[in-house]
Amino acid sequence: QVQLVESGGGLVQAGGSLRLSCAASGLSFSTYAMGWFRQGPGKERVFVAAISWSGARTNYADSVLGRFTISRDNAKNTVYLQMNSLKPEDTAVYYCAANPQRVAGQADYWGQGTQVTVSS
């Protein structure tokens, strides 16, 4: 059974930082591209960032480019999202995804989500 378990969300002031983690089990983690999506209040879930299976390639939504960094540790079956210079509009539930499809907004597997709230 595949499980993706996010952690690290919380409440932070604008300009602050958070690091999200996603621990994976039940899949061959090192062979999967991984990613993060988010869903703000009253909005659709949208792509945030993705990383290739090796970590060599990353891509980001324009709205987070230069502020967020995705990384992975295949030895720990974990993917991370470092979020800096947070803005109130970054407030959302953040979802970890295995084999993310940026345009379609789909993935093979999803985590349960972790809430990030940025206060102004």
Side-chain angles (χ1 to χ4, degrees):
Q1 180 181 358
V2 175
Q3 283 193 311
L4 303 178
V5 180
E6 301 98 334
S7 61
L11 174 64
V12 63
Q13 288 189 331
S17 298
L18 283 175
R19 189 176 83 152
L20 305 183
S21 300
C22 171
S25 61
L27 77 169
S28 185
F29 181 79
S30 62
T31 69
Y32 275 81
M34 297 295 295
W36 292 91
F37 289 73
R38 68 186 182 186
Q39 186 169 16
K43 299 181 180 179
E44 294 185 350
R45 186 162 56 188
V46 297
F47 172 83
V48 174
I51 187 167
S52 63
W53 63 271
S54 68
R57 296 187 306 276
T58 58
N59 65 92
Y60 298 91
D62 288 347
S63 59
V64 306
L65 190 63
R67 300 188 298 122
F68 291 11
T69 302
I70 188 170
S71 62
R72 66 189 298 159
D73 185 338
N74 285 346
K76 296 182 178 180
N77 286 3
T78 302
V79 61
Y80 305 97
L81 186 68
Q82 177 67 44
M83 305 185 295
N84 298 329
S85 302
L86 282 161
K87 305 175 181 180
E89 51 264 44
D90 294 318
T91 294
V93 178
Y94 283 72
Y95 296 92
C96 177
N99 193 22
Q101 297 161 47
R102 175 173 183 165
V103 175
Q106 298 177 353
D108 286 359
Y109 303 102
W110 296 95
Q112 83 288 348
T114 187
Q115 177 71 47
V116 172
T117 302
V118 185
S119 63
S120 57

